[in-house]
Amino acid sequence: MGKIVLENVQKHFGTVKVISNVSLTVEDGSFVVFVGPSGCGKSTLLRLIAGLEDATGGRILIDGADVTDLPPTKRGLSMVFQSYALYPHMSVRGNIGFGLKMAGMPKDEIRKKVDAAAATLNLTPYLDRKPRMLSGGQRQRVAIGRAIVREPKGFLFDEPLSNLDAALRVNMRIEIARLQRSLGTTAIYVTHDQVEAMTMADKIVVLNAGSVEQVGSPLELYDRPANLFVAGFIGSPKMNLIGGATAEPYQAATIGIRPEHLIVSRDGGGWAGTISVAEHLGSDTFLYVEVPGVGLVTARTPGEVSFHAGERVMLQPDPARLHRFDKQGQAIRG
Amino acid sequence: MARAISPQKKWTFTILAWVVALILFFPILWTILTAFKTEGDAILFPPAFLPPHWTLENFVTVQTRSDYFKHFFNSMVISIGSSLIGLVIAVPAAWSMAFAPAKRTKDILMWMLSTKMMPAVGVLVPIYLIFKNLGLLDTLTGLTGIMTLINLPIMVWMLYTYFREIPVDILEASRMDGAVLWKEIVYVLLPMAIPGIASTMLLNIILAWNEAFWTLNLSAANAAPLTAFIASYSSPEGLFWAKLSAASTLAIAPILVIGWFSQKQLVRGMTFGAVK
Ligand SMILES: Nc1ncnc2c1ncn2[C@@H]1O[C@H](COP(=O)(O)OP(=O)(O)OP(=O)(O)O)[C@@H](O)[C@H]1O
Ligand SMILES: [Mg+2]
């Protein structure tokens, strides 16, 4: 069990409003990711749920019980920190078992549980080492072991992979997602890496300046961004957002088209432009096309198509995949 | 940062360091050497560097005349006792200042330090009277108490700087792991803070051991520590250089030994925060 509900949660640091009126439901067993630009309040929101910060207003409920005024020790959640935050003076065994020891579990039971957790995370050979004698990836796994061994109501992750190199990050991402599915424990995961968000989440919460911009499944956010902020934030490369005269025929203040939804040809219809940069990634090629009157437009084509810089091309937006936004930046449906 | 230092420069620095060290150490060496001289040799002019006639007579006289071991015991009780009591007060104080600072924490720290800037003699009379009225004059309880109080600001400051270096994440992690406050302190904070606490304690023992103003003014015979023992030899009875030196040697020997063995801790303690 581990349903987490936020009701109008607010957080002020002095006079600075960091979180304003966030309401949110995290269903039991789901994997929810908070994304947003740096400084938007992701960590603060997570720490409010953890109980490491006191809410200025609103309520936080875990399984229906109001925990707003409870300390972290009484909330039954566990957390994985960006810095790992392992206890430097304890062995890996001590680190993983610390929570159980605090709960007053008998020694041999702790030993069994720690052994099991270590086996799941391939940490068995390192159980007697101190954290400083481990690599970054191993430390990360110890931090995860410490979180899972207590069988908490929910996991809280604050950018747990940002200190790892790219290859390891992908592995750990898969490992965490798999672990969470197999345990069926609610997880809230903070990241500013939208690839992590898209691949891991059941539900993504897009935050901006302390407010929720949109909540939805990864594909919902990709296919139906509620506003300009989400449209620009989700997807890589970014959606092309075009205003002015180009948007007028569509009865919108701004139109958005993703780079992968532009049909690029040498002599088809659409906007005519000149390729200023072509990035060949192998699988894909990103074209940055200068279109007079529209601006720089990004297009994504399969890798085998050979366009190169300086070439003139035509860009035809796929009308079914076109997004329209009004003056306030809200999506126009229908 | 590794910077290339030419061998020449290195030699110059080495020699300079030795010269400075010898200059600083010379008075102590001279005291120790004089302790082994006869009274006559001690006042020779020009002075003899090494004792012409080595003798242990001064040490024997000093012990029989004024019971070194009693003073030694008093010094131990005062310095270790005040350090331990000080820690009991300073650890929680520094903990809350470092990890739960309030608006005025910085001011309180400055205020605590400012009490050390006042000349001690300025409060001698009131403290003397308080001691007298409470019957604390010339008692170990009184001296340990006053020593705790005068060193408390330094202890809080040192511990505060140490605690500030401990990553808050780790303490928060322990809270998430279900550690209530006292468990967090006992299982997580203290083990990480032990080096800092040890150097604070050592420095404090040394400071208390060498403190001469309050110990001299507030003790007479019963509770007098080694500082009073030394002072009793710079008496108007006449100059007893050799005996004074023997008394001093005996008084500083224990602290010199402690200092020698804990050099590393002390240096780390005093430069903590400055170098990483
Ligand atoms: N203790 C604090 N006192 C005052 N302001 C704070 C405090 N902690 C955070 N803030 C402010 O709150 C805002 C949100 O911070 P937060 O750490 O939640 O951002 P974030 O979304 O996690 O960013 P990042 O992706 O860089 O980690 C920031 O503007 C930050 O400066
Ligand atoms: Mg953050």
Side-chain angles (χ1 to χ4, degrees):
Chain A
M1 283 295 281
K3 180 177 174 180
I4 301 169
V5 177
L6 308 188
E7 289 177 3
N8 292 314
V9 171
Q10 299 170 25
K11 177 67 186 175
H12 303 178
F13 286 113
T15 54
V16 190
K17 275 192 191 171
V18 175
I19 299 291
S20 36
N21 282 319
V22 170
S23 295
L24 197 65
T25 302
V26 177
E27 294 297 341
D28 180 34
S30 67
F31 197 112
V32 171
V33 174
F34 292 173
V35 279
S38 187
C40 69
K42 305 182 292 290
S43 298
T44 307
L45 193 55
L46 196 72
R47 292 167 57 81
L48 283 166
I49 297 171
L52 295 171
E53 302 282 358
D54 296 324
T56 312
R59 297 204 308 158
I60 300 170
L61 306 154
I62 299 177
D63 288 335
D66 189 338
V67 298
T68 319
D69 297 319
L70 291 186
T73 43
K74 300 240 172 78
R75 295 195 185 188
L77 304 172
S78 60
M79 184 152 169
V80 176
F81 293 78
Q82 182 174 5
S83 60
Y84 315 145
L86 301 179
Y87 311 121
H89 55 290
M90 295 181 201
S91 64
V92 169
R93 179 179 290 286
N95 265 280
I96 297 178
F98 186 73
L100 302 178
K101 183 172 158 188
M102 290 302 102
M105 190 179 274
K107 278 216 174 74
D108 41 335
E109 212 167 317
I110 296 181
R111 175 165 282 271
K112 252 186 259 159
K113 295 220 168 195
V114 171
D115 284 339
T120 329
L121 292 159
N122 297 321
L123 284 171
T124 311
Y126 312 111
L127 275 173
D128 295 318
R129 291 206 197 167
K130 290 277 166 66
R132 77 184 119 81
M133 299 190 285
L134 299 175
S135 72
Q138 289 161 348
R139 285 178 203 185
Q140 185 58 72
R141 290 212 294 275
V142 176
I144 293 170
R146 188 168 67 177
I148 63 171
V149 78
R150 291 175 43 221
E151 297 168 16
K153 288 182 184 156
F155 299 129
L156 307 175
F157 296 92
D158 192 355
E159 308 206 25
L161 305 184
S162 55
N163 289 337
L164 302 179
D165 66 51
L168 200 52
R169 195 146 58 203
V170 174
N171 285 341
M172 286 302 296
R173 189 170 89 199
I174 296 167
E175 213 171 310
I176 290 177
R178 200 166 47 199
L179 201 62
Q180 191 269 342
R181 300 262 131 84
S182 70
L183 295 170
T185 309
T186 313
I188 302 180
Y189 188 105
V190 164
T191 180
H192 57 242
D193 178 344
Q194 51 131 332
V195 179
E196 265 173 36
M198 295 295 282
T199 53
M200 301 176 92
D202 295 321
K203 200 154 90 173
I204 296 179
V205 177
V206 182
L207 289 168
N208 182 32
S211 310
V212 175
E213 293 281 351
Q214 191 175 359
V215 180
S217 72
L219 286 183
E220 268 165 21
L221 298 192
Y222 178 84
D223 289 332
R224 287 192 301 280
N227 52 45
L228 278 177
F229 181 83
V230 178
F233 194 80
I234 299 288
S236 172
K238 278 177 64 156
M239 182 189 284
N240 296 296
L241 296 169
I242 302 155
T246 320
E248 260 165 40
Y250 299 95
Q251 286 97 45
T254 310
I255 54 165
I257 183 79
R258 295 197 183 276
E260 50 273 42
H261 300 146
L262 281 165
I263 300 154
V264 186
S265 63
R266 294 203 167 82
D267 40 23
W271 306 322
T274 313
I275 299 174
S276 59
V277 179
E279 285 179 349
H280 299 280
L281 301 184
S283 58
D284 298 294
T285 298
F286 298 151
L287 303 176
Y288 299 92
V289 183
E290 190 59 54
V291 180
V294 172
L296 195 64
V297 176
T298 313
R300 179 179 192 160
T301 63
E304 52 273 13
V305 184
S306 62
F307 290 105
H308 46 82
E311 220 174 319
R312 280 188 63 78
V313 288
M314 305 300 289
L315 301 175
Q316 175 73 62
D318 175 353
R321 313 303 291 265
L322 198 88
H323 303 270
R324 300 185 302 138
F325 302 95
D326 63 18
K327 276 204 209 64
Q328 284 74 42
Q330 298 302 312
I332 304 168
R333 300 279 182 224
Chain B
M1 285 285 267
R3 225 183 308 164
I5 295 174
S6 70
Q8 250 176 333
K9 245 190 183 165
K10 204 172 157 187
W11 273 106
T12 323
F13 278 125
T14 310
I15 292 167
L16 256 170
W18 273 100
V19 170
V20 171
L22 280 178
I23 290 174
L24 288 176
F25 183 62
F26 187 76
I28 296 174
L29 180 67
W30 189 250
T31 308
I32 295 173
L33 286 172
T34 306
F36 291 97
K37 293 174 185 168
T38 62
E39 285 297 348
D41 289 340
I43 52 168
L44 272 186
F45 196 86
F49 183 65
L50 288 176
H53 314 89
W54 289 83
T55 174
L56 288 175
E57 187 194 327
N58 299 315
F59 292 98
V60 178
T61 321
V62 161
Q63 167 60 20
T64 45
R65 225 179 78 178
S66 44
D67 196 356
Y68 168 76
F69 287 105
K70 186 179 119 194
H71 295 102
F72 174 79
F73 173 79
N74 288 346
S75 274
M76 291 285 275
V77 170
I78 294 169
S79 59
I80 294 177
S82 70
S83 301
L84 286 178
I85 299 170
L87 281 182
V88 170
I89 303 169
V91 167
W95 185 91
S96 71
M97 287 177 176
F99 296 117
K103 242 197 246 156
R104 300 251 172 269
T105 296
K106 277 260 138 73
D107 301 339
I108 293 175
L109 277 164
M110 275 322 287
W111 168 74
M112 287 180 61
L113 198 65
S114 72
T115 61
K116 296 295 294 175
M117 298 170 191
M118 181 174 52
V121 72
V123 286
L124 176 60
V125 174
I127 289 198
Y128 188 90
L129 291 176
I130 292 171
F131 265 58
K132 198 176 152 201
N133 291 338
L134 294 178
L136 288 172
L137 282 176
D138 201 22
T139 60
L140 284 177
T141 318
L143 285 182
T144 307
I146 191 86
M147 215 51 63
T148 306
L149 290 176
I150 64 165
N151 285 334
L152 205 52
I154 295 176
M155 297 186 94
V156 173
W157 260 92
M158 261 185 92
L159 289 170
Y160 171 77
T161 18
Y162 269 108
F163 289 173
R164 284 289 299 265
E165 301 272 321
I166 294 174
V168 182
D169 274 6
I170 297 181
L171 301 180
E172 290 181 340
S174 78
R175 261 167 253 169
M176 292 305 296
D177 264 344
V180 291
L181 186 61
W182 73 265
K183 286 183 176 173
E184 174 182 336
I185 294 180
V186 170
Y187 291 110
V188 182
L189 182 70
L190 278 185
M192 287 198 287
I194 286 286
I197 292 176
S199 5
T200 307
M201 168 126 189
L202 271 169
L203 187 75
N204 205 66
I205 289 177
I206 293 173
L207 285 176
W209 189 279
N210 293 334
E211 205 284 333
F213 181 79
W214 293 107
T215 46
L216 287 182
N217 281 303
L218 300 176
S219 74
N222 291 330
L226 286 169
T227 42
F229 165 79
I230 303 175
S232 71
Y233 283 90
S234 61
S235 62
E237 301 165 32
L239 279 177
F240 295 102
W241 281 123
K243 290 189 187 63
L244 178 62
S245 299
S248 299
T249 305
L250 284 171
I252 58 176
I255 213 69
L256 223 53
V257 173
I258 296 181
W260 184 266
F261 282 111
S262 55
Q263 275 188 59
K264 248 200 191 143
Q265 272 302 329
L266 280 176
V267 171
R268 203 179 111 72
M270 282 182 268
T271 57
F272 200 82
V275 282
K276 264 231 156 164

